[in-house]
Amino acid sequence: MKLRYSTTIIIFGLLTACGTAPTKVDEPFPTTSSAAMATAQPTMDSMMQTDALTMTDDMMQPTDAMSMTDDMMQPTAMPTADDMMQPTVIPTADTMIQPTVEPTTEARVEPTTVPAEPVVLGSGSFRGIDHKSGGIATLYQQPDGSNLLRLSDFFVEAGPDMYIFVAKAAEINQPSDLQAGYLELGKLKGSEGNQNYSLPADFDPALYANVVIWCEKYQVLMAVAPIQ
């Protein structure tokens, strides 16, 4: 019993010293503003309103009857028979008032909108490499144009000094496969749980085929998720 108890203490001490205790995170999916952007246009009602404050004093004054001239006070001449017999002039097509042309659909200004939902660029399931692992890696493009890698329901066997990469090689089975090129996204936030990693603005998903979990201390692959 003493030997078994001592062995348990030694193993636990080694795990603690290596920093291999599991760590769990649960980050929500980040959202960006997707409200429609529209330029306010003047309404017909506002265009038809008359600004009372712009009326001059002359317009507001009543007509002064005393200012009428003698000519204006003369009786109106009665029309003669010849004047009354003149035919009414029929308006021609040119003199008729043409209807107002309605604006076409192309002429109307439509509000500019942005996508309301993130776009999936690719995803894949994790498989462990000499370690246990699972979960989903998904590449997203956000409505604001930014790129994001999200790990969902993720877990990997805990290890020290773990990092996350996106790698260019079509298949990742051993450390030498990373020589084809990779992009480091930083330290792994946790060995379990949902987590997000920002990608550069010029990130091209067509150039990267795998998400890789890497142990820097021992230079070993922990897990890989092929992206399709």
Side-chain angles (χ1 to χ4, degrees):
M1 288 294 293
K2 290 184 179 180
L3 178 60
R4 184 178 300 173
Y5 179 74
S6 300
T7 303
T8 302
I9 293 177
I10 292 173
I11 293 174
F12 179 77
L14 289 174
L15 291 175
T16 303
C18 292
T20 56
T23 55
K24 187 172 183 178
V25 295
D26 187 11
E27 293 185 327
F29 190 95
T31 58
T32 57
S33 177
S34 60
M37 296 178 295
T39 303
Q41 300 294 327
T43 63
M44 184 60 68
D45 291 340
S46 63
M47 295 173 65
M48 295 297 293
Q49 295 296 328
T50 302
D51 188 353
L53 294 178
T54 61
M55 299 179 67
T56 64
D57 293 340
D58 294 340
M59 297 172 66
M60 298 295 293
Q61 297 298 326
T63 303
D64 187 354
M66 297 302 294
S67 63
M68 299 176 65
T69 64
D70 294 340
D71 293 338
M72 296 176 63
M73 297 296 293
Q74 297 298 322
T76 304
M78 296 298 293
T80 64
D82 292 338
D83 294 334
M84 297 177 63
M85 294 300 292
Q86 295 297 325
T88 302
V89 178
I90 302 300
T92 64
D94 294 336
T95 61
M96 296 176 68
I97 299 175
Q98 298 298 321
T100 303
V101 178
E102 293 293 331
T104 62
T105 303
E106 292 78 3
R108 296 191 184 117
V109 177
E110 297 295 337
T112 302
T113 60
V114 293
E117 300 292 335
V119 177
V120 175
L121 303 177
S123 66
S125 300
F126 277 99
R127 62 179 176 86
I129 300 180
D130 297 328
H131 296 80
K132 295 179 181 179
S133 185
I136 304 295
T138 308
L139 298 176
Y140 291 96
Q141 184 178 57
Q142 295 280 62
D144 65 355
S146 62
N147 298 309
L148 171 77
L149 169 63
R150 179 166 174 82
L151 309 187
S152 304
D153 300 323
F154 170 75
F155 73 91
V156 66
E157 186 177 338
D161 204 19
M162 292 191 295
Y163 285 79
I164 183 167
F165 303 155
V166 283
K168 292 184 175 181
E171 293 186 6
I172 301 290
N173 297 300
Q174 53 193 357
S176 60
D177 293 332
L178 294 174
Q179 294 178 359
Y182 63 89
L183 176 65
E184 181 184 316
L185 303 181
K187 273 199 166 186
L188 189 68
K189 296 178 180 180
S191 60
E192 299 178 12
N194 304 318
Q195 42 203 289
N196 308 308
Y197 297 89
S198 297
L199 297 167
D202 59 351
F203 177 77
D204 185 355
L207 299 179
Y208 297 92
N210 290 277
V211 176
V212 177
I213 308 301
W214 171 260
C215 176
E216 180 66 20
K217 182 173 182 177
Y218 294 110
Q219 298 287 292
V220 297
L221 295 169
M222 304 286 288
V224 174
I227 300 298
Q228 298 178 350

